């Protein structure tokens, strides 16, 4: 078999991941997949790159059962996504014709950290809103606050476009989380502490906290910490619901899924997000 090392982002066994949804009747939704090929956004940035990848898949039957297309890293202008989607729609049709299932990874929601923006300014040119901010006041400019109206509108539009490829699964990246958005989360309490989030929390609780006074008040106040934790979890849920709502409008047969880590602290967060995916998708 010819090597795939030059094009494979990663090939993994479908294990240690979470999804929601029941079996479906179409060939795209059988649960027989064992090997999947995970692509990056750069793998489909040009027709030439995708054509090379597809040729190798076609010439090596059995090398993968499923291909994850990617929405890419960053917040590029929506025109970038529109161009990518058209290439992925054609690619999905090509894959189905040879018995390979196309799926989709929403590769960036909140984001991972400022290091992802190093030398990639053009890939964040579509970001017009505040970044994830820690309780220390440090903002991660390459991550997104989950309550920013512009961000949620962007996520909806992006998902609406990509769902047109009718993927078997739509996997949401594990960056939809409350921690590890460096540098904002370094030395910070959990959650986003930008002005938008503080104002929303005050509106819910009918309080007048500032970032500084709320941080101080949480010391030793487990009740207040719990309220903030649930508020922050609801912030993530808004993102998950936006993605799922738009996906189901365009591709109701797709299944929603969530990439995640398995550490103990993540279990309540993952469980809550999966409940939202199930509630909105109905499966």
């Amino acid at each position: 078999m010819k090597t795939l090392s030059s094009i494979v982002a990663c090939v993994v066994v479908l294990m240690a991941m979470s999804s929601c949804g029941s079996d479906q009747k179409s060939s795209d939704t059988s649960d027989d997949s064992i090997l999947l090929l995970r692509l990056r956004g750069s793998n489909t940035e040009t027709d030439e790159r995708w054509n090379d990848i597809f040729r190798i898949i076609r010439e090596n039957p059995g090398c993968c059962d499923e291909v994850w297309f990617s929405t890419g890293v960053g917040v590029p202008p929506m025109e970038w996504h529109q161009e990518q989607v058209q290439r992925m729609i054609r690619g999905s049709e090509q894959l189905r014709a040879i018995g390979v299932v196309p799926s989709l990874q929403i590769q960036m929601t909140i984001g991972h950290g400022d290091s992802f923006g190093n030398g990639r300014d053009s890939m964040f040119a579509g970001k017009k809103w505040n970044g994830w901010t820690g309780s220390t006041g440090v903002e991660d400019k390459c991550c997104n606050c989950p309550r920013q109206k512009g961000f949620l509108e962007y996520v909806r539009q992006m998902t609406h476009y990509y769902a047109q490829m009718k993927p078997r699964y739509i996997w949401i990246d594990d960056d939809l989380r409350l921690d590890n958005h460096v540098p904002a989360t370094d030395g910070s309490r959990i959650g986003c502490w930008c002005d938008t989030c503080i104002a929303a929390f005050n509106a819910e609780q009918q309080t007048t906290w500032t970032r500084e006074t709320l941080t101080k008040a949480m010391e030793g106040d487990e009740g207040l910490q719990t309220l903030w934790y649930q508020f922050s979890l609801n912030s993530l849920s808004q993102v998950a619901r936006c993605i799922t709502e738009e996906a189901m409008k365009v591709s109701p047969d797709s299944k929603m899924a969530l990439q995640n880590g398995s550490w103990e602290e993540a279990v309540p967060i993952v469980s809550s997000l999966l409940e939202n995916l199930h509630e909105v998708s109905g499966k």
Side-chain angles (χ1 to χ4, degrees), residues 187-226:
S188 172
R189 290 188 178 274
I190 203 166
C192 179
W193 291 69
C194 72
D195 291 344
T196 297
C197 288
I198 296 297
F201 183 74
N202 280 331
E204 285 188 10
Q205 301 299 321
Q206 297 184 337
T207 50
T208 57
W209 301 111
T210 65
R211 182 186 302 119
E212 294 77 14
T213 59
L214 180 58
T215 302
K216 182 66 175 178
M218 281 189 184
E219 296 178 5
D221 190 334
E222 293 185 3
L224 185 57
Q225 292 174 23
T226 299

Side-chain angles (χ1 to χ4, degrees), residues 43-58:
N43 294 130
T44 52
E45 275 189 323
T46 66
D47 289 336
E48 291 74 19
R49 287 186 181 182
W50 166 247
N51 289 340
D52 283 344
I53 292 172
F54 178 69
R55 174 182 55 78
I56 296 174
I57 295 173
R58 184 186 60 215

Side-chain angles (χ1 to χ4, degrees), residues 112-118 124 138-143 181-184:
H112 292 80
D114 274 355
S115 62
F116 275 65
N118 293 339
F124 288 86
V138 175
E139 179 183 356
D140 191 330
K141 297 185 182 301
C142 292
C143 287
H181 304 299
V182 178

Side-chain angles (χ1 to χ4, degrees), residues 89-117:
I89 291 174
R90 295 194 297 271
S92 296
E93 294 170 350
Q94 291 174 301
L95 290 172
R96 291 189 181 100
I98 61 172
V100 177
V101 173
S103 286
L104 175 70
Q105 184 204 19
I106 307 291
Q107 193 177 346
M108 179 170 168
T109 60
I110 301 300
H112 292 80
D114 274 355
S115 62
F116 275 65

Side-chain angles (χ1 to χ4, degrees), residues 19-247:
S19 65
C20 61
S22 58
D23 292 346
Q24 301 180 29
K25 296 181 180 179
S26 71
S27 60
D28 274 8
T29 54
S30 66
D31 283 332
D32 298 329
S33 296
I34 298 174
L35 292 176
L36 67 83
L37 173 64
R38 177 183 175 184
L39 303 180
R40 301 292 190 181
S42 58
N43 294 130
T44 52
E45 275 189 323
T46 66
D47 289 336
E48 291 74 19
R49 287 186 181 182
W50 166 247
N51 289 340
D52 283 344
I53 292 172
F54 178 69
R55 174 182 55 78
I56 296 174
I57 295 173
R58 184 186 60 215
E59 292 177 357
N60 292 273
C63 68
C64 62
D65 304 292
E66 186 168 340
V67 170
W68 280 13
F69 289 100
S70 168
T71 60
V73 173
V75 188
M78 198 58 66
E79 292 76 16
W80 186 89
H81 292 301
Q82 289 176 293
E83 183 178 342
Q84 285 279 79
V85 166
Q86 295 308 310
R87 195 170 293 114
M88 291 181 189
I89 291 174
R90 295 194 297 271
S92 296
E93 294 170 350
Q94 291 174 301
L95 290 172
R96 291 189 181 100
I98 61 172
V100 177
V101 173
S103 286
L104 175 70
Q105 184 204 19
I106 307 291
Q107 193 177 346
M108 179 170 168
T109 60
I110 301 300
H112 292 80
D114 274 355
S115 62
F116 275 65
N118 293 339
R120 298 175 177 174
D121 290 349
S122 63
M123 289 305 292
F124 288 86
K127 186 172 181 290
K128 310 296 182 184
W129 48 82
N130 292 339
W132 185 282
T133 302
S135 60
T136 61
V138 175
E139 179 183 356
D140 191 330
K141 297 185 182 301
C142 292
C143 287
N144 302 295
C145 163
R147 289 183 178 261
Q148 294 291 321
K149 180 180 178 181
F151 168 62
L152 295 174
E153 290 174 346
Y154 182 97
V155 167
R156 282 187 180 277
Q157 186 64 67
M158 180 186 72
T159 303
H160 188 90
Y161 286 143
Y162 284 105
Q164 295 175 51
M165 58 174 280
K166 308 296 183 183
R168 175 198 186 190
Y169 278 108
I170 298 176
W171 287 90
I172 300 176
D173 195 81
D174 66 355
D175 69 342
L176 190 60
R177 59 189 181 225
L178 294 176
D179 62 349
N180 199 19
H181 304 299
V182 178
T185 49
D186 287 345
S188 172
R189 290 188 178 274
I190 203 166
C192 179
W193 291 69
C194 72
D195 291 344
T196 297
C197 288
I198 296 297
F201 183 74
N202 280 331
E204 285 188 10
Q205 301 299 321
Q206 297 184 337
T207 50
T208 57
W209 301 111
T210 65
R211 182 186 302 119
E212 294 77 14
T213 59
L214 180 58
T215 302
K216 182 66 175 178
M218 281 189 184
E219 296 178 5
D221 190 334
E222 293 185 3
L224 185 57
Q225 292 174 23
T226 299
L227 287 174
W228 179 257
Y229 176 85
Q230 188 58 53
F231 170 83
S232 299
L233 189 54
N234 291 342
S235 299
L236 298 187
S237 296
Q238 288 187 37
V239 182
R241 296 179 77 89
C242 282
I243 293 172
T244 308
E245 286 167 2
E246 289 304 314

